[in-house]
Amino acid sequence: MDEAEDRRLRAIAPDISQISISLLRRVVGLYPEERIPEEALRTADEVLERYGADGLRVLVMSLTGWAAVEIEKDAHMSGRTLEALLDDMDLTRMEANPDG
């Protein structure tokens, strides 16, 4: 990342972090679960429109950071390895989409 890119991303990071938390508040516990991707796509479209590709990049960085921390906490609290937890997540993905 060059200095100009770093400045651009840092400038929008607080807004995108707030958007990330807002998205998570809307989707955690959402039923039916099929609505979760719809809400995520709606948020991504709004970020793209308002902040462009840089906004989407920061959104991905923000959500990845939150997910990684929570996965690490879950693994620690459950006494499982990170690899075992991620394998279970991958198995869930395959079960949800057996054809692909």
Side-chain angles (χ1 to χ4, degrees):
M1 215 177 335
D2 65 24
E3 190 175 319
E5 179 182 33
D6 187 46
R7 275 195 311 273
R8 282 194 325 269
L9 298 180
R10 272 189 286 132
I12 62 175
D15 289 348
I16 301 299
S17 292
Q18 183 177 1
I19 291 167
S20 298
I21 296 298
S22 178
L23 169 62
L24 292 170
R25 286 183 189 278
R26 289 191 309 272
V27 300
V28 170
L30 190 61
Y31 185 83
E33 292 83 4
E34 292 81 14
R35 292 177 47 208
I36 294 171
E38 294 171 9
E39 193 64 35
L41 287 174
R42 185 178 4 265
T43 299
D45 289 343
E46 290 170 5
V47 167
L48 179 61
E49 183 178 321
R50 184 168 179 193
Y51 298 96
D54 282 347
L56 286 180
R57 293 174 69 211
V58 175
L59 181 66
V60 168
M61 290 187 308
S62 176
L63 291 173
T64 301
W66 286 109
V69 167
E70 292 306 315
I71 289 168
E72 290 170 6
K73 282 181 177 178
D74 189 354
H76 179 74
M77 297 296 288
S78 67
R80 298 164 61 201
T81 66
L82 290 170
E83 192 63 32
L85 190 64
L86 292 167
D87 286 346
D88 281 349
M89 292 172 69
D90 202 23
L91 180 60
T92 300
R93 176 195 58 84
M94 288 187 292
E95 289 172 347
N97 188 15
D99 297 330

